[in-house]
Amino acid sequence: MRTLIPVRIGPAVVDVAVPPGPSPALPGVRMAGFRGCAHSTLDLQVVPYPELTLFVDFGDALLVDDASGRQQRGTIVVGLGPGSVRGSAREADCLQIRLSPPVAHAVFGGSSELGGTVTGLDDLWGSEAARFQEQLREAGSWEGRFALAQAMLARRCEAGRRLDPEVGFVWRRMMGTGGQTRVEYLADEVGWSRKRLWSRFRTQVGLTPKQAAKLIRFDSAVRRLAAGHSAASAAADGGFVDQSHLSRDVKDFTGMTPAAVAHASWLAVDDIAWPTRNISPRPQAPLRRR
């Protein structure tokens, strides 16, 4: 495992740990460990992305508020495209696992109820959730935690339900094109009617194809904004009609402007924790001598 890397998130400095190797041991699963503390409570708004997130909190210090006003602690799952979800804590000692929808469908026994929601893992796994958290806590080291989590997820993925091949194909095509392929074209590619694709995709992924494409485009644009690209450039590269279209989607997902989301504290760890999603920083013009 790489050495713990300190990252500043707002007023806090958090050590980030990631598994070794250039690629995830289990395709569709990425994970990182976070440990640190702040002099005051750290409040983070979750910026949505096209993966589900499993938080395993070892210190019972993380408090998550969802759009309905519910507050949850412990081990929770944040679904695709959540509304206003915030996390707060003064100390961090947690494992964050991101799962692609095909993997999440198998691991969580079907993910239609997870579209845009925050759910306790015990609601999905029953008593196995508590055993899983306790095993991870007892492991102590990040290497041990990563290995245990990989083994558990691999077992559940192997035994779980698969997406329809057509749904899996459409999801991969959406991701591959940055959400810029029309749904009717995708339905034609898999030989389904638009209505059937809409229904099966919504049931198995948790979002409609249109919502999923919107989330994927948003994610791509936000990564560009965080890398220093202008809103106009991010809109053009991301398949938005214009900059106003991008601004509306950013506000729908986060309640923020593109300029504000570009500096969101939630994105501060991306270069370290989730390097496979990096986008090259905007090239800087050379300095001119006076």
Side-chain angles (χ1 to χ4, degrees):
M1 185 188 71
R2 295 190 306 187
T3 304
L4 294 176
I5 301 173
V7 179
R8 179 168 292 281
I9 305 177
V13 175
V14 176
D15 288 331
V16 181
V18 295
S23 60
L26 181 61
V29 174
R30 299 181 298 149
M31 57 183 70
F34 301 90
R35 182 176 292 151
C37 61
H39 297 298
S40 59
T41 299
L42 179 64
D43 181 30
L44 291 177
Q45 177 173 347
V46 174
V47 176
Y49 41 79
E51 294 171 322
L52 291 87
T53 304
L54 170 60
F55 289 98
V56 183
D57 181 16
F58 303 112
D60 293 325
L62 178 65
L63 179 65
V64 175
D65 298 86
D66 65 17
S68 68
R70 289 188 308 164
Q71 295 185 330
Q72 298 191 58
R73 293 184 184 273
T75 301
I76 61 172
V77 180
V78 178
L80 288 174
S84 178
V85 175
R86 308 190 73 90
S88 59
R90 291 196 62 172
E91 296 183 2
D93 186 9
C94 71
L95 174 65
Q96 185 183 152
I97 304 174
R98 294 185 175 185
L99 304 97
S100 69
V103 173
H105 183 75
V107 167
F108 299 131
S111 58
S112 63
E113 70 277 15
L114 293 178
T117 66
V118 178
T119 307
L121 185 63
D122 53 350
D123 292 330
L124 302 172
W125 286 5
S127 59
E128 189 174 19
R131 291 196 298 271
F132 177 59
Q133 182 171 356
E134 190 58 32
Q135 289 171 349
L136 291 174
R137 182 182 284 113
E138 291 176 351
S141 71
W142 286 118
E143 295 95 326
R145 288 173 174 176
F146 291 144
L148 280 169
Q150 288 280 7
M152 168 64 83
L153 295 174
R155 287 196 300 271
R156 293 194 66 93
C157 193
E158 180 66 27
R161 293 182 287 177
R162 299 287 190 270
L163 291 180
D164 288 341
E166 295 84 355
V167 172
F169 173 85
V170 168
W171 176 262
R172 291 191 299 274
R173 287 279 282 131
M174 284 184 170
M175 289 294 293
T177 62
Q180 297 184 46
T181 303
R182 295 180 66 87
V183 174
E184 51 265 38
Y185 297 159
L186 295 172
D188 288 342
E189 284 194 70
V190 298
W192 279 2
S193 68
R194 184 176 180 275
K195 181 178 180 181
R196 177 172 174 77
L197 174 59
W198 200 275
S199 174
R200 298 297 292 171
F201 195 97
R202 170 66 180 85
T203 298
Q204 297 183 22
V205 174
L207 300 175
T208 67
K210 183 177 180 179
Q211 291 170 332
K214 179 179 177 179
L215 173 61
I216 293 167
R217 289 194 301 270
F218 162 83
D219 175 71
S220 177
V222 165
R223 305 305 151 184
R224 286 180 167 82
L225 291 169
H229 294 249
S230 68
S233 172
D237 293 341
F240 293 86
V241 174
D242 52 28
Q243 191 172 331
S244 296
H245 182 196
L246 169 62
S247 296
R248 289 194 299 272
D249 279 9
V250 170
K251 185 173 182 181
D252 285 347
F253 278 111
T254 66
M256 293 187 280
T257 65
V261 80
H263 301 287
S265 296
W266 178 259
L267 304 178
V269 301
D270 276 29
D271 290 347
I272 304 302
W274 322 113
T276 58
R277 298 192 67 80
N278 284 354
I279 292 175
S280 299
R282 180 189 61 187
Q284 299 295 316
L287 294 175
R288 296 183 178 180
R289 296 183 182 275
R290 293 184 177 273

